[in-house]
Amino acid sequence: MGSTTKEISRFRQQLVILMKNNPNITAEHIANEIKDITADGVRYHIRHLKTRGIIIREGSTKSGKWVVLK
């Protein structure tokens, strides 16, 4: 369980870094940057980060941006 938890945490940390550096980034672009994860996998982690209050989406899906809160 430990390595899986660390791997998930690593993905989420990478997501947050990518969103800080490029607030307009899409799930597809994140998947291309990280490798080893699909766009659907990225969306799963995004949902988790949103429910934890770590990130929010400002604006629309197409023209909005990511805001990292923590």
Side-chain angles (χ1 to χ4, degrees), residues 20-57:
K20 276 185 180 178
N21 292 337
N22 181 2
N24 300 314
I25 198 164
T26 65
E28 289 80 13
H29 285 113
I30 292 170
N32 288 336
E33 288 287 324
I34 294 178
K35 311 291 185 220
D36 299 332
I37 192 169
T38 64
D40 285 338
V42 170
R43 288 183 193 97
Y44 169 83
H45 290 288
I46 287 172
R47 281 191 301 275
H48 180 81
L49 291 168
K50 286 167 83 175
T51 60
R52 299 252 178 177
I54 297 170
I55 61 169
I56 60 170
R57 181 78 179 174

